[in-house]
Amino acid sequence: MLKKVALSDNIFWVGVNDRHTERFENYMPIPHGVSYNAYLIEDEKNTVIDTVEVGFVEEYILKIKSILGEKQVDYLIVNHVEPDHSGSIKRLLCEYPQMRIVGNAKTIPMLQGFYGIGDHCIAMEEGATLSTGKHTLQFFTVPMVHWPESMVTYETSQQILFSNDAFGSFGALDGGVFDDETRFEFYEEEMRRYYSNIVGKYGVQVQKAMAKLNGVSINTIAPSHGPVWRENIAKVIQLYDRWSKCEAEEGVVIIYGTMYGNTARMADVIARSVAEEGIRNIRVFDVSKTHSSYLISEIWKYKGVILGSCAYNGVIYPPMGSLLKQLLLLMPKNRLLGLFGSMSWGGGGVRNLDEFAENIKWEVVAPSVEIKHAAQSEDEERLAEIGKAMAGAVRL
């Protein structure tokens, strides 16, 4: 018999942990794994909230049956149709063929498109409620947080917000399902990386969703990934508020692209000048070594961003070019920018960085510096000026 993990009387976590997938969405590294959270309300009408990635469906169904035994699942709430949350629906329907699927008007066409499911479905209006017996569920749409059909489900008696991907985090649940059973600092870092790369583009929509839920009393936030929040609710809401407004901490992120080390040495000169001005939060990264999801997370955290690139066949170094494209897609706001780079003859790295600066519209703190061949002492003085200017600009 599996041990039950209860959020409250008759409400249970029936999620799973994925520690073998290397990249989330086949893109972002997840060295600490990820959880796919789902929940079960045992009541007159037994109700499951979300499913899990299909590779874990048997463990998921085993957990449901360990609580319900031979009883039926009457409702499945689909907060989000992305396959890491909906992938097990068809298998669950095979187990419980009378089950009704609850979503909203945008959910049902997606279920038809992904899984050929058109029957069994109930579309709920904004703010509508569903009684399962002793529990009442209320539904709120949160479009583009981060898909158009996204919604959240609120259980009124225990004041539990089943928040979909909002407030979610990378990182498997290593024994501790609830935040007061874990180390908050780890999940804060992984929650910011999750937010900045997946939800961050939709800050305006996040603000609208938070305003919609502003009057709702919340005792527990139960997201689709990461820990269930019951102790640090105010803190995670505050973090989401800050991140969705692109507010940042005092600090500088320096990211460079280099082939033979000359641009890397330039980055170290700049970093040293920032430190000499009293800034303590300084992060320096090689764009070829560190995955962009971590770089974007750091940019979401700190106010100052300094980018450097060598030239490569007359254009920018390809890994740096890829990062710039991602930043222009996500469009974080209110950052301060410094630029530098190197070339051997025709250039191209700094020229493309300057073009990026025009497009992203961050404040540039100092003129960009491009150095031919390797930096000399007089060049290092110009580089140091970028660091000094950035330190003065980011100081809060």
Side-chain angles (χ1 to χ4, degrees):
M1 180 69 71
L2 293 172
K3 188 176 178 64
K4 298 177 182 179
V5 180
L7 279 65
S8 68
D9 291 343
N10 305 115
I11 301 179
F12 305 95
W13 177 82
V14 290
V16 298
N17 286 301
D18 180 355
R19 298 186 180 89
H20 68 247
T21 299
E22 292 190 7
R23 291 180 180 267
F24 190 78
E25 298 180 342
N26 205 26
Y27 167 58
M28 284 167 276
I30 43 173
H32 305 291
V34 68
S35 69
Y36 308 115
N37 297 339
Y39 305 92
L40 169 64
I41 300 173
E42 187 179 20
D43 205 341
E44 294 171 24
K45 297 291 186 181
N46 297 310
T47 301
V48 174
I49 300 175
D50 292 321
T51 73
V52 300
E53 200 276 336
V54 68
F56 298 86
V57 63
E58 297 305 325
E59 180 183 350
Y60 165 69
I61 290 175
L62 180 63
K63 287 183 175 181
I64 292 171
K65 287 185 173 294
S66 73
I67 296 168
L68 294 183
E70 296 303 313
K71 292 186 289 186
Q72 295 296 302
V73 171
D74 298 285
Y75 293 120
L76 168 65
I77 311 299
V78 179
N79 281 328
H80 185 23
V81 188
E82 196 168 8
D84 56 331
H85 307 300
S86 67
S88 297
I89 291 178
K90 292 189 76 171
R91 174 69 178 85
L92 196 64
L93 269 174
C94 290
E95 200 72 35
Y96 303 106
Q98 302 306 311
M99 179 180 74
R100 304 298 301 277
I101 300 173
V102 179
N104 58 66
K106 293 182 179 179
T107 307
I108 295 170
M110 287 190 172
L111 291 174
Q112 179 69 46
F114 276 108
Y115 307 114
I117 297 172
D119 299 330
H120 304 274
C121 298
I122 304 171
M124 304 300 290
E125 298 290 335
E126 175 73 20
T129 60
L130 175 70
S131 174
T132 65
K134 296 178 181 177
H135 300 275
T136 299
L137 303 177
Q138 189 171 17
F139 305 98
F140 300 94
T141 59
V142 289
M144 298 316 301
V145 185
H146 60 118
W147 275 27
E149 90 304 353
S150 293
M151 71 179 192
V152 298
T153 300
Y154 178 66
E155 196 284 324
T156 59
S157 64
Q158 302 300 311
Q159 300 180 335
I160 300 173
L161 180 69
F162 298 96
S163 64
N164 191 345
D165 277 338
F167 309 108
S169 170
F170 294 131
L173 302 176
D174 295 340
V177 171
F178 301 95
D179 60 326
D180 53 10
E181 301 172 331
T182 64
R183 186 170 63 85
F184 180 85
E185 291 76 17
F186 166 77
Y187 286 105
E188 179 181 354
E189 290 293 310
E190 286 293 75
M191 183 167 63
R192 189 182 66 252
R193 185 162 71 99
Y194 184 94
Y195 176 87
S196 59
N197 285 273
I198 296 173
V199 187
K201 177 180 175 66
Y202 306 107
V204 171
Q205 290 86 347
V206 171
Q207 283 290 309
K208 289 180 179 179
M210 293 178 70
K212 180 183 291 188
L213 297 169
N214 188 47
V216 176
S217 297
I218 300 173
N219 286 330
T220 305
I221 296 177
S224 295
H225 300 289
V228 175
W229 306 103
R230 64 185 182 187
E231 182 178 85
N232 294 286
I233 292 172
K235 187 168 185 178
V236 298
I237 291 175
Q238 180 187 47
L239 287 171
Y240 250 62
D241 185 48
R242 290 181 57 231
W243 294 338
S244 59
K245 294 175 180 174
C246 284
E247 295 177 355
E249 301 176 23
E250 178 180 290
V252 179
V253 183
I254 302 172
I255 305 169
Y256 64 86
T258 191
M259 286 187 288
Y260 300 110
N262 288 310
T263 312
R265 286 188 285 275
M266 295 166 68
D268 283 333
V269 170
I270 295 172
R272 181 58 192 156
S273 70
V274 175
E276 288 177 335
E277 295 298 311
I279 302 299
R280 295 293 172 259
N281 292 320
I282 306 168
R283 304 299 308 276
V284 181
F285 297 97
D286 182 335
V287 73
S288 296
K289 180 179 178 181
T290 304
H291 191 271
S292 61
S293 66
Y294 292 97
L295 303 177
I296 289 167
S297 180
E298 294 294 317
I299 289 170
W300 230 271
K301 184 175 184 178
Y302 293 118
K303 185 75 171 176
V305 181
I306 301 176
L307 303 174
S309 178
C310 59
Y312 191 87
N313 286 334
V315 293
I316 199 164
Y317 190 53
M320 179 60 72
S322 177
L323 175 63
L324 300 187
K325 287 180 181 178
Q326 290 179 68
L327 288 171
L328 288 172
L329 174 66
L330 295 171
M331 288 299 285
K333 308 294 184 186
N334 307 321
R335 294 299 180 267
L336 301 167
L337 183 61
L339 303 169
F340 68 99
S342 63
M343 65 170 179
S344 294
W345 58 90
V350 172
R351 182 172 65 249
N352 279 270
L353 288 172
D354 287 336
E355 182 179 334
F356 165 79
E358 292 177 7
N359 290 328
I360 203 159
K361 302 188 187 309
W362 293 347
E363 179 185 344
V364 179
V365 299
S368 57
V369 173
E370 184 170 42
I371 292 170
K372 193 171 184 179
H373 306 136
Q376 307 301 315
S377 57
E378 61 272 19
D379 299 317
E380 292 185 355
E381 291 179 8
R382 291 195 294 148
L383 294 168
E385 287 302 315
I386 295 177
K388 290 177 183 178
M390 182 62 77
V394 302
R395 190 171 287 111
L396 299 178

